[in-house]
């Protein structure tokens, strides 16, 4: 009841977006650390993939938790977006940005683009029928990554998608703090800088893999 | 100096409006923006045309009445300034500007550049007050207020309710206004008894008036003539979440006393 009343308000919906955003940000970091094992070679990456699948119930808990976070994040965003559209029914003939970043104004573009990308990515490197598996049925992650990124079109798509992820995180990482009420003149500028730096590192780390495949695995 | 104005003309709340172009050949750079509009209106009235309606009162930057979009920026290009305190020396000879009213579902256009900001009054009515017993004036400094708190409360209280935050926000959110009003009382000892109920009532009222939500982008603080920071909005978020979390329904158990 209390949670439902909280969610009724715009402030509550933003708090839900922040809380789910933290989970998704944590996933993005973990995913990057997993990805970077690509550079340790086929055995290490494939063993990492196998070990993840050996987690069993824990893996499913994580998957369901992430799915719930994604669904909550998206539904709160869509509800707020609809409210915001209704709040400004007539448009300005001229509107000039006076203090906001491009990334912050386009969250409602970068978000849906990322959702579409996640669908493609799951098909391309997790669920698709084209993927290679070993004799025990475990995916050959390394081989699949190399095969997948050897197509410049697919690699290009990932690179573009990661740029949108970077933009989404640049605003999202610091915005989480603001939404739950953490803002301080001393720490907020630092958090904003860390947000940009973290977003850049995540993008660079993820993009490096298709680039490496295109350059060195042809 | 020559200034060309494209002004939003709209007869009444229900009729559609459009931009009309006016050329002002000799504008003094010492005029305020509103004085330039006064000159335009004199001219229009002499010709028998309908003068441009715009809201104004104190013309010294403290009442919050004047507020229009000048070339897509609330209160115009000079930061920390209301339209009445914006002087024409900040523009160049030959500048062509677009003047529009604030645009938000909650701020219907009454006529031309004037909107109805009563939605703000209803947010204040919902909780922007403290309850005190009237009587003789209390002793000064009877209630100690730490200086940093007094200053932050005063910074928030500087809000003049002009509506520029709503106008500049792509979501037409009233978060900065509501947060300023929540915070200037919430930061002081006198505001504590009603603090949880105040923030809940005012945020709910803000939502009921169909203002949009805050996406933390910062357009509002960039155009705020009183430079109220979005840190204030974070304080409102924190108060709101805390108030919802610690909310207790009133006890129905009989107390047995008496």
């Amino acid at each position: 009841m209390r949670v439902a009343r909280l969610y009724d308000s715009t402030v509550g919906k933003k708090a839900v977006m922040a809380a789910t955003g933290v989970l998704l940000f944590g996933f993005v970091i973990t995913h990057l650390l997993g990805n970077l094992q690509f550079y340790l070679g086929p055995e290490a990456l494939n063993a990492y993939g196998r070990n993840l699948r050996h987690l069993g119930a824990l893996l499913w808990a994580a998957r369901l938790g992430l799915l719930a976070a994604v669904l909550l994040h998206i539904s709160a965003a869509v509800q707020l977006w609809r409210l915001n559209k209704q709040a400004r029914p007539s448009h300005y003939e001229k509107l000039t940005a006076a203090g906001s970043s491009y990334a912050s104004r386009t969250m409602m573009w970068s978000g849906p683009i990322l959702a579409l990308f996640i669908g493609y990515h799951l098909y391309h490197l997790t669920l698709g029928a084209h993927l290679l598996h070993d004799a025990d049925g475990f995916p050959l992650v390394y081989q699949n990554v190399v095969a997948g990124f050897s197509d410049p079109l697919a690699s290009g798509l990932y690179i573009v998608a990661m740029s949108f992820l970077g933009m989404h995180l640049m605003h999202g990482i610091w915005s989480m703090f603001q939404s739950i009420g953490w803002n301080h003149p001393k720490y907020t500028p630092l958090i904003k800088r860390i947000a940009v730096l973290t977003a850049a590192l995540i993008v660079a780390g993820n993009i490096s893999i298709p680039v490496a495949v295109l350059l060195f695995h042809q | 100096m020559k200034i060309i104005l494209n002004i939003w003309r709209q007869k009444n709340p229900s009729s559609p409006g459009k931009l009309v172009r006016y050329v002002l050949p000799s504008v003094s750079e010492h005029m305020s923006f509103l004085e330039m509009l006064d000159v335009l209106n004199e001219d229009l009235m002499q010709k028998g045309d309908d003068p441009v309606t715009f809201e104004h009162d104190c013309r010294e930057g403290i009442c919050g009445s004047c507020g229009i979009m000048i070339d897509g920026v609330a209160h115009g290009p000079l930061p920390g300034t209301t339209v009445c305190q914006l002087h024409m020396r900040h523009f160049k000879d030959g500048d062509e500007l677009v003047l529009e009213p604030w645009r938000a579902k909650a701020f219907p256009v009454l006529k031309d550049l004037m909107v109805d900001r009563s939605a703000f009054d209803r947010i204040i009515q919902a909780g922007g007050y403290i309850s005190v017993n009237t009587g003789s004036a209390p002793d000064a400094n009877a209630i100690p207020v730490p200086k940093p708190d007094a200053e932050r409360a005063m910074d928030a209280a500087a809000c003049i309710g002009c509506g520029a935050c709503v106008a500049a926000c792509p979501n037409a959110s009233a978060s900065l206004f509501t947060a300023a009003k929540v915070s200037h009382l919430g930061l002081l000892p006198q505001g504590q008894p009603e603090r949880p109920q105040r923030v809940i009532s005012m945020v709910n009222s803000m939502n009921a008036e169909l203002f949009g939500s805050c996406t933390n982008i910062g357009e509002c603080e960039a155009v705020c003539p009183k430079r109220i920071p979005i840190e204030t909005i974070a304080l409102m978020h924190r108060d709101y979440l805390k108030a919802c979390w610690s909310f207790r329904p009133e006890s129905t158990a009989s107390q047995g006393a008496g």
Side-chain angles (χ1 to χ4, degrees), chain B residues 168-185:
Chain B
C169 177
N171 313 325
S173 168
S175 286
L176 192 63
F177 166 78
T178 311
K181 298 304 177 190
V182 163
S183 303
H184 94 258
L185 299 172

Side-chain angles (χ1 to χ4, degrees), chain A residues 2 84 88 93 100 175 181, chain B residues 100 103 213 216 219 245:
Chain A
R2 187 175 303 178
N84 296 343
R88 163 85 33 84
E93 300 288 319
S100 57
S175 190
Chain B
E100 288 178 84
R103 292 193 191 280
S213 80
N216 309 334
E219 279 294 320
W245 214 248

Side-chain angles (χ1 to χ4, degrees), chain B residues 199-222:
Chain B
V199 69
I200 289 179
S201 302
M202 291 182 80
V203 166
N204 289 350
S205 166
M206 169 182 93
N207 288 162
E209 295 292 341
L210 298 180
F211 289 106
S213 80
C214 180
T215 43
N216 309 334
I217 73 168
E219 279 294 320
C220 53
E221 72 175 358

